[in-house]
């Protein structure tokens, strides 16, 4: 039986892909920021996102706080946690081989997941706040995904403006380009590292808070976002911040387009195949990045 793709189906897939991709881009920007500034591969990025989701769930279920307003709590909390992690653990592997950073952050991710299981058990949790869809002609827009996309785009734009326009953002980019030159120019590299890790953790927290309204929450949910974030920065170019945006949107579109032709099980393998292909054909990513 042949599959007939109508313009409405294609439009629906593109819209769904862009909505999902905007969230991927925001989360992956944090991972790219850490790699760009410190050359650290942070496997704990997904578990930090999971913590953001649980903060939102806890605030919603205990005090009834609007899950979107919980961003004002989850992002500062995870920023602080990120700074502490960098100050007490990650700084030890900044100049070490990348395998060392993988092992340290893997240990951190295991600890975070186990603590979450201890606190919340492995039961699925849900933030039942927003359901339904906006309908425009033949295309339906999930309300929670539209709002998540709008917030993700706003946060991503704010992060780019921060990196481009502020003194601290320029210091972060300077350290990313050459740590030695930045140090000679009087930039406190250790402080920049801590701030960058904190910002990346805050971006992960924002992703978790937005995801909490869309899917069920459980302690191991972050693993898939860690992988997708790595794929996004590989697609766009490791350490290339605009590349993270491009990579996120591309991943969202590819996932949705492949879902038209493939079964669910095969579709889940598409991301893995894509990662291998990109690493073989263009290891520096579409927009170029640091040689890894």
């Amino acid at each position: 039986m042949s599959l007939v793709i109508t313009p409405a189906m294609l439009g629906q897939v593109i819209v769904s892909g862009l909505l999902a991709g905007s969230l991927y881009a925001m989360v992956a920007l944090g991972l790219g920021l850490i790699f760009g500034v410190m050359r650290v591969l942070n496997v704990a990025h997904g578990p930090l996102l999971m913590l953001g989701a649980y903060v939102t769930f806890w605030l919603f279920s205990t005090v009834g706080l609007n899950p979107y307003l919980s961003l004002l709590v989850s992002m500062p909390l995870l920023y602080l946690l990120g700074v502490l992690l960098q100050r007490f653990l990650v700084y030890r592997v900044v100049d070490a081989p990348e395998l060392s950073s993988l092992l340290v952050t893997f240990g951190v991710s295991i600890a975070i997941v186990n603590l979450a299981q201890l606190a919340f058990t492995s039961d699925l949790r849900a933030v039942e706040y927003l359901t339904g869809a906006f309908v425009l002609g033949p295309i339906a827009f999930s309300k929670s995904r539209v709002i998540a996309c709008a917030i993700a785009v706003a946060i991503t734009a704010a992060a780019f403006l921060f990196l481009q326009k502020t003194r601290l953002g320029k210091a972060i980019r300077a350290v990313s380009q050459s740590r030695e030159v930045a140090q000679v120019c009087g930039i406190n590299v250790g402080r920049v590292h801590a701030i960058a890790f904190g910002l990346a953790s805050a971006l992960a927290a924002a992703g978790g808070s937005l995801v909490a309204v869309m899917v069920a929450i459980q302690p191991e949910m972050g693993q898939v976002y860690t992988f997708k974030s790595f794929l996004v920065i590989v697609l766009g170019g490791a350490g290339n911040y605009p590349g993270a945006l491009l990579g996120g949107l591309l991943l969202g579109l590819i996932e949705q387009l492949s879902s038209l032709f493939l079964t669910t099980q095969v579709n889940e393998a598409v991301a893995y195949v894509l990662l291998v292909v990109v690493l073989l054909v263009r290891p520096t990513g579409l927009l170029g990045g640091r040689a890894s």
Side-chain angles (χ1 to χ4, degrees):
M1 183 175 69
S2 61
L3 174 65
V4 178
I5 300 177
T6 64
M9 288 172 63
L10 191 59
Q12 182 70 65
V13 164
I14 292 173
V15 167
S16 299
L18 292 177
L19 293 178
S22 61
L23 191 59
Y24 295 158
M26 182 191 69
V27 175
L29 177 61
L31 194 66
L33 184 62
I34 291 174
F35 183 80
V37 173
M38 284 174 274
R39 303 299 303 276
V40 165
L41 296 169
N42 181 23
V43 182
H45 200 61
L48 290 172
L49 178 148
M50 175 269 294
L51 284 184
Y54 270 110
V55 169
T56 295
F57 166 76
W58 184 78
L59 291 171
F60 179 74
S61 59
T62 55
V63 299
L65 183 65
N66 184 307
Y68 297 114
L69 291 179
S70 71
L71 285 164
L72 301 175
V73 179
S74 64
M75 291 183 72
L77 273 180
L78 268 291
Y79 173 88
L80 181 60
L81 178 59
V83 169
L84 292 175
L85 285 174
Q86 200 282 333
R87 284 295 193 192
F88 289 100
L89 287 175
V90 177
Y91 85 95
R92 297 175 183 275
V93 294
V94 169
D95 292 319
E98 286 165 359
L99 180 60
S100 299
S101 66
L102 271 176
L103 293 175
V104 168
T105 56
F106 181 70
V108 171
S109 70
I110 295 294
I112 292 174
V113 170
N114 280 282
L115 287 173
Q117 286 177 335
L118 189 65
F120 298 100
T121 75
S122 296
D123 294 343
L124 295 176
R125 314 280 181 166
V127 178
E128 297 177 358
Y129 178 73
L130 192 61
T131 57
F134 303 110
V135 179
L136 183 62
I139 300 176
F141 303 80
S142 165
K143 290 180 180 177
S144 60
R145 292 186 183 277
V146 168
I147 294 176
C149 174
I151 295 175
V153 168
I155 291 176
T156 303
F160 274 111
L161 285 175
F162 168 77
L163 290 172
Q164 294 293 330
K165 301 295 182 183
T166 67
R167 187 180 180 85
L168 185 54
K170 291 175 182 176
I172 290 174
R173 288 195 292 125
V175 173
S176 175
Q177 291 168 4
S178 174
R179 189 186 312 167
E180 291 76 16
V181 173
Q183 204 158 19
V184 168
C185 293
I187 294 174
N188 186 331
V189 173
R191 179 170 171 264
V192 167
H193 284 177
I195 291 172
F197 207 97
L199 288 174
S201 301
L203 289 172
S209 292
L210 296 176
V211 165
V213 186
M214 298 187 288
V215 300
I217 304 168
Q218 48 94 8
E220 294 184 350
M221 65 179 286
Q223 293 175 353
V224 65
Y225 289 96
T226 297
F227 172 73
K228 288 185 177 181
S229 297
F230 272 116
L231 176 53
V232 166
I233 64 172
V234 168
L235 267 174
N240 188 317
Y241 305 135
L245 177 61
L246 176 64
L249 295 176
L250 278 177
L251 177 60
L253 286 172
I254 290 170
E255 279 187 344
Q256 295 299 320
L257 283 171
S258 62
S259 67
L260 271 180
F261 306 100
L262 304 173
T263 63
T264 304
Q265 291 78 9
V266 178
N267 188 37
E268 289 177 355
V270 169
Y272 296 91
V273 174
L274 182 62
L275 176 62
V276 173
V277 171
V278 173
L279 285 174
L280 288 174
V281 176
R282 191 172 172 80
T284 56
L286 297 176
L287 296 187
R290 290 174 179 273
S292 56

